[in-house]
Amino acid sequence: MAESAGVRREQARRTREGVLEAAAAVFVAQGVQAPVREIAHRAEVGVGTVYRHFPTRADLVTAVYRHQIDACAELAPRLLAACDTPSTALHRWTGAFVDFLVTKHGLGAALGSEDPGLENLHAVMVDTLVPACAELLGACVDAGEVRADVTAYTLMRAVGNLCITGPDYDQADARRMVDLLLTGCRTTS
Amino acid sequence: MAESAGVRREQARRTREGVLEAAAAVFVAQGVQAPVREIAHRAEVGVGTVYRHFPTRADLVTAVYRHQIDACAELAPRLLAACDTPSTALHRWTGAFVDFLVTKHGLGAALGSEDPGLENLHAVMVDTLVPACAELLGACVDAGEVRADVTAYTLMRAVGNLCITGPDYDQADARRMVDLLLTGCRTTS
Amino acid sequence: MAESAGVRREQARRTREGVLEAAAAVFVAQGVQAPVREIAHRAEVGVGTVYRHFPTRADLVTAVYRHQIDACAELAPRLLAACDTPSTALHRWTGAFVDFLVTKHGLGAALGSEDPGLENLHAVMVDTLVPACAELLGACVDAGEVRADVTAYTLMRAVGNLCITGPDYDQADARRMVDLLLTGCRTTS
Amino acid sequence: MAESAGVRREQARRTREGVLEAAAAVFVAQGVQAPVREIAHRAEVGVGTVYRHFPTRADLVTAVYRHQIDACAELAPRLLAACDTPSTALHRWTGAFVDFLVTKHGLGAALGSEDPGLENLHAVMVDTLVPACAELLGACVDAGEVRADVTAYTLMRAVGNLCITGPDYDQADARRMVDLLLTGCRTTS
DNA sequence: GATGAATGAGGTTTCATTCAT
DNA sequence: GATGAATGAAACCTCATTCAT
């Protein structure tokens, strides 16, 4: 009986993972507003199953990107330790952030969206990434490399917005614009 | 008869203006994807009236912003003539552009949207504003004030994206981020 | 003043004729259910004008075909006088009727329709054409050429139905089918 | 689980049947162009349910009549085997076809309609019934009972048209007209 | 836990018809 | 008489979401 419960739990976990994978794929293809049916179909489960695991769309979006958000946050201190200067670390970190956002079709837009259905995701990203960004930014400011009047939150929103790509404004464009923005943040010597 | 026709035409024009005003207000509150019903209701007309004046949503969105888009484009040569340096003109122009975009909630997003219903608006903005921006940018490059590897289109998309505001990222933030971006575009002397 | 009234009346008559012509053309192209706007546009008048002259669609449809309906009815006695046998006259009359119906796209369908908006037209056709057809049919029966158990109304409905054409069942098909039907009505000798 | 799935599937099947019955009834009353809402309401389901089972109107119309169309087609060889002469079989088959068409108000009209929403149904009827009719017709021609210049398709269209009934032209009239048409198709000996 | 059928609100669009000028 | 802008009912179709099994 205890075992059967464990087996069932394991099944549920696998179902959950399957939904997450399907959602990730569908989000890339159609954006985070894709029909739930589409995701359920791709995961080969019923729509009810999606709703059981993720009651709101934001829960699903958040869960889909949580791993990567966490990984992105954890990257900050590692880069700070590994790079010669804080600003190098900041540049590389934003580079990683851009790559993350751009490859998730619609995530940049979701970040900046006021859609109440996405505020949950918004909160997660802010809570997780802003401190990471703030750590890098603070180090840069302390080192006199970056102006002190830029907040981590504002910078992240700006970077997030710059990552809203399209046919005529692609990942490379986004990277260059973010680089220019960071360059503009340098203290003018 | 000629007079009555003129009166009627005048009435129609006022209705049209009313729809435009209502649409502008609704767009600010809900974005450019707001339901047509909402706009019709706010304008105190039937939905059919909205469709009569603006057969597609893009027609409406375009009409709402056309005046300002044109005004913005016309500002470019005037600033170029009035300012001491091209880069000053560029800064002031982007400042005006940001003010325009930010006060029209959702227009920045519309500029970058791939939504087929907005491609018309997209085309108008690109056709009108990119040349204006290119003129300023070219002058800056010729004066050696700005790096030559930034295209007017990409810059406009970036500025447009930076103007997607929200409760925690407002017009002042957008202006500062755009300024930093432009600063980053300067030739490092 | 009397003259100006006459002039005005003449104007109105011409407007009316213009609407009729436009309606006839539109009916051929799109069927009798075509949008009123289409007809008004083609006639280069306002929709209100169409409604003033023809309050209901049936009024318009009826008016459009009235001339031809009358001409068709008047043909019956002339054919009866001119042809050697009544059945020849009947054949030639139905031939003319078929040509009339088939070239008026949708009229055959309108004849058989129960659409309350068309009952007026239905009544006109019945009142005008059934007596004409009955005259021919009666002569045929009297001459022993056609069975006595076919009513003029039923025959007309049948012919009307057979004239509902389409891409794979055209005017020639309709004519042949009507001919076969008439052949079937002959008294078997 | 397997059982509950079976129960659910059974429920769905009943819903589907309910929709079909409702659609059949509404089609009789209002023709095959009746609003989907009407059908949904009569079936006591939501419109979404109708769309789930029958994505397009043609799917619904086709499903409503499919059984009877098939039964009609299958009747042809059986009659051919059972009757003394091919022409008797043809007469009885068209009689059955007429009964089928007339009791399904609007189906005759649908058969001849150019409405793109009905082309599917049109195709089904043509594909299923024309071969059946052709078999009978061919046998009649081979037996020298019917003229060779009538195609199965044209005959079916003609019969379909003759089955467009109304208050003053009912099923009995349709049957008699079809009989006369067939009589007219006989080789004159 | 999983299912997916059913629901129905919500969006779009079309046109017949009215009415003030 | 003529006009055509305005109206709004009505049809379509799509999903997010619920719930009985």
Side-chain angles (χ1 to χ4, degrees), chain D:
Chain D
M1 192 111 131
E3 192 167 0
S4 91
V7 169
R8 259 188 294 115
R9 213 173 302 138
E10 173 59 15
Q11 275 288 43
R13 200 193 55 72
R14 276 214 291 273
T15 302
R16 193 190 139 97
E17 290 303 313
V19 170
L20 281 176
E21 271 174 45
V26 171
F27 288 168
V28 166
Q30 310 193 24
V32 290
Q33 300 291 1
V36 172
R37 268 275 168 85
E38 190 82 14
I39 295 163
H41 181 252
R42 176 144 196 160
E44 297 180 321
V45 300
V47 287
T49 303
V50 176
Y51 279 100
R52 158 176 286 268
H53 288 289
F54 309 100
T56 74
R57 177 185 298 277
D59 293 332
L60 180 53
V61 177
T62 305
V64 165
Y65 297 126
R66 171 126 248 169
H67 279 312
Q68 289 158 300
I69 290 170
D70 287 343
C72 202
E74 284 157 16
L75 188 63
R78 298 218 317 270
L79 285 174
L80 209 47
C83 296
D84 290 342
T85 66
S87 70
T88 308
L90 179 60
H91 261 87
R92 289 182 54 188
W93 187 78
T94 53
F97 184 43
V98 168
D99 288 345
F100 163 53
L101 286 177
V102 165
T103 54
K104 318 304 164 198
H105 184 114
L107 189 55
L111 179 56
S113 167
E114 296 176 61
D115 186 326
L118 294 175
E119 61 189 12
N120 193 357
L121 172 66
H122 194 264
V124 166
M125 295 192 74
V126 167
D127 292 349
T128 309
L129 294 175
V130 166
C133 183
E135 190 182 355
L136 291 163
L137 211 52
C140 290
V141 170
D142 290 346
E145 294 178 314
V146 162
R147 353 180 358 156
D149 63 354
V150 178
T151 70
Y153 179 80
T154 303
L155 181 60
M156 284 210 24
R157 279 288 288 262
V159 172
N161 282 357
L162 288 174
C163 288
I164 301 172
T165 52
D168 301 326
Y169 175 84
D170 61 16
Q171 178 164 10
D173 292 318
R175 284 201 78 143
R176 270 185 308 123
M177 290 301 111
V178 170
D179 273 346
L180 290 177
L181 177 64
L182 287 178
T183 302
C185 291
R186 284 207 192 115
T187 49
T188 49
S189 56

Side-chain angles (χ1 to χ4, degrees), chain A residues 87-119:
Chain A
S87 71
T88 308
L90 180 60
H91 260 88
R92 289 181 55 189
W93 187 78
T94 53
F97 185 43
V98 169
D99 288 346
F100 164 52
L101 286 178
V102 166
T103 54
K104 317 305 166 199
H105 185 114
L107 187 56
L111 226 193
S113 165
E114 290 177 67
D115 184 330
L118 293 175
E119 61 188 12

Side-chain angles (χ1 to χ4, degrees), chain C residues 120-134:
Chain C
N120 191 0
L121 170 66
H122 196 260
V124 166
M125 295 194 75
V126 167
D127 291 350
T128 309
L129 295 175
V130 166
C133 182

